Structure formats: structure tokens, C-alpha cells
Amino acid sequence: MWNWLRKAARRCVDVVRGGWNIVRSATSSLRRGVQRVWHLWQTRVPTWLQYSVYGVLGLGVGMLGLYLIGFTPAGIAAGSVAAAWHSSIGIVAAGSLFASLQSVTMTAATYIGLGVSAGVLTALTAWFMSRGSGGPGDEEAGILLESFPSNGGLPGPSTKQM
């Protein structure tokens, strides 16, 4: 009499186990794929380019954070953390942190300008810091550095030993 219930329960358990195995296999494949891509990123992409991407991504995360706390391109979002901050300040003084954050998020050109600036500055910083580290992109760095004077173009004694 209860045989049909046992069979149905076993089938349900088998379906759940099968689904679990599919999910486990898919996540394992995804993990291996991400590890391969990360390895290629670390070994084949020049360091200066990696850091410029990190800089732009960092800026994007920062802008997203401002948006999430209530600084939007249309103004301060009602009921947000930024609205609460604004109400605690009262009249916002020009040049204050609050005014600067509001200005940054309301200007579309600022997004583009900051993104390009962050990318260029992080690329230059990473390029100068990674010279001679043996990482990808050192060949290009070496070629570019050969065109600069050994003393950096500054007046003063030569750096060559006598």
C-alpha cells in the first residue's frame, strides 16, 4: 500500500542527487575556467595594462558605491544615506565633501575624465614600478627606457662609474 510512496520518495531523492551532481560539475568547470583565465591574465598581460584595468575598475566600484548610498546623476536619492547626511548638514557649503561628491556624480563628463585619468595614472605608476621585475611587458619598458638619458635628463653629475 505504501510502496508507491516509497518509490516516489526514492525518485525525488534521485532527482535531487542528480541535480546536485550537475551543479557540482558545473561549478567545478567554472572554477577551472576562471583559474585558467586568471593564470593567462597574470602571465600574458603586461603589468602596466593590468594596473590600468584595476584603476578603472576601482573607479567604477567607487562610483557605484556613491550611487548606492544615494548620490545619483539626477541628484540625491530620497530616503538614502546621502539624503540623511544632507538633512543633518542643512545648507551645504560650496567646496565641502558633500558638495564635491554630489558634483562628481551629477556630471557625466566627470565619469569619463576620471576613468581616463585613473587608467593613465595607474598605467604609468605600474609601468614605472614594474620595470625590470621580469614580468610581462618588460621588453616594451626596456625599449622605451633606452631612449631616456641615464641620469633622467636632469642636470648634474653622470651616473656612470669611472
Side-chain angles (χ1 to χ4, degrees), residues 3-152:
N3 236 2
W4 66 272
L5 186 58
R6 282 189 191 139
K7 286 182 183 179
R10 283 187 188 145
R11 284 191 181 157
C12 287
V13 168
D14 289 343
V15 166
V16 169
R17 281 185 185 152
W20 177 252
N21 287 337
I22 290 170
V23 168
R24 188 172 46 191
S25 173
T27 56
S28 177
S29 296
L30 180 64
R31 182 179 49 83
R32 283 192 305 271
V34 168
Q35 285 175 336
R36 278 191 217 123
V37 168
W38 183 251
H39 176 72
L40 289 174
W41 173 259
Q42 292 295 319
T43 58
R44 303 274 172 98
V45 176
T47 308
W48 64 268
L49 182 58
Q50 290 176 12
Y51 283 105
S52 25
V53 169
Y54 297 151
V56 172
L57 287 176
L59 178 72
V61 168
M63 296 307 275
L64 178 64
L66 288 175
Y67 183 81
L68 290 175
I69 63 172
F71 291 99
T72 69
I76 303 300
S80 66
V81 173
W85 184 11
H86 189 208
S87 68
S88 73
I89 294 173
I91 297 174
V92 177
S96 67
L97 177 62
F98 187 89
S100 299
L101 293 175
Q102 187 174 6
S103 174
V104 164
T105 55
M106 291 185 74
T107 309
T110 304
Y111 288 120
I112 296 167
L114 287 176
V116 169
S117 299
V120 167
L121 288 175
T122 53
L124 287 172
T125 302
W127 181 71
F128 280 112
M129 291 179 69
S130 67
R131 291 184 299 169
S133 65
D138 278 350
E139 304 82 35
E140 296 91 356
I143 292 169
L144 289 173
L145 286 177
E146 288 174 4
S147 63
F148 290 106
S150 62
N151 65 354

